[in-house]
Amino acid sequence: VHFPIALLTASVAVDLIALIKNQVEWHRFAYALLVAGLLSSSAAVITGTEAALSYRSKPEVADLIQQHEDFGSIVFIVFMATTLGRLPLFLQRSGGWPLVMWIVVAVGGCVLLWWTSYYGGELVYVHGVGVTGVGVSPDL
């Protein structure tokens, strides 16, 4: 789960630095980070959904798992749309306002990503989901 957080955040950071420094070619590197982040987030969504199955019957964490899953799905959709929306710009080596628009969308996606990460951290570090045995949690 740390790969999508790092890669997607780094993608947005590189894009923003490229805009500020007017380094057009850096956007290509940012796009590569975006694709890598999207691929790693698909693995995180699949494995996270599987890992949470045995905890869904626990009322202490069921709602939190659902919130985390809902936010994770939204984040995945936002970054999928961003990746696909930027593909023509990447292939044509163009930029301008369409690129800036997709960067703004990605910044919003990062805010959602960080919020999703907060829920995921609470599930793991507070409730022990995926770390302790089912039903065994430090605060239960």
Side-chain angles (χ1 to χ4, degrees):
V1 296
H2 293 96
F3 282 106
I5 297 167
L7 291 168
L8 294 172
T9 301
S11 171
V12 172
V14 169
D15 268 330
L16 292 173
I17 293 168
L19 285 176
I20 291 167
K21 294 188 171 266
N22 198 25
Q23 297 291 327
V24 177
E25 284 302 310
W26 290 15
H27 292 296
R28 296 184 68 73
F29 177 60
Y31 187 77
L33 290 170
L34 177 64
V35 170
L38 182 66
L39 292 173
S40 64
S41 69
S42 64
V45 167
I46 292 166
T47 59
T49 300
E50 179 66 28
L53 286 177
S54 58
Y55 293 90
R56 287 191 174 277
S57 62
K58 302 296 176 191
E60 305 85 20
V61 294
D63 287 341
L64 192 57
I65 288 172
Q66 190 60 50
Q67 287 176 327
H68 179 64
E69 187 175 285
D70 291 346
F71 273 103
S73 297
I74 293 168
V75 167
F76 183 78
I77 291 167
V78 167
F79 281 107
M80 173 67 85
T82 303
T83 303
L84 293 175
R86 284 185 63 174
L87 181 59
L89 303 174
F90 176 79
L91 295 174
Q92 296 171 1
R93 295 182 181 257
S94 61
W97 70 265
L99 177 61
V100 173
M101 179 198 70
W102 284 116
I103 293 171
V104 169
V105 171
V107 168
C110 271
V111 172
L112 290 171
L113 172 67
W114 300 329
W115 191 250
T116 304
S117 302
Y118 171 79
Y119 282 128
E122 187 174 344
L123 283 167
V124 172
Y125 296 109
V126 175
H127 299 287
V129 171
V131 178
T132 59
V134 178
V136 179
S137 179
D139 61 349
L140 294 179

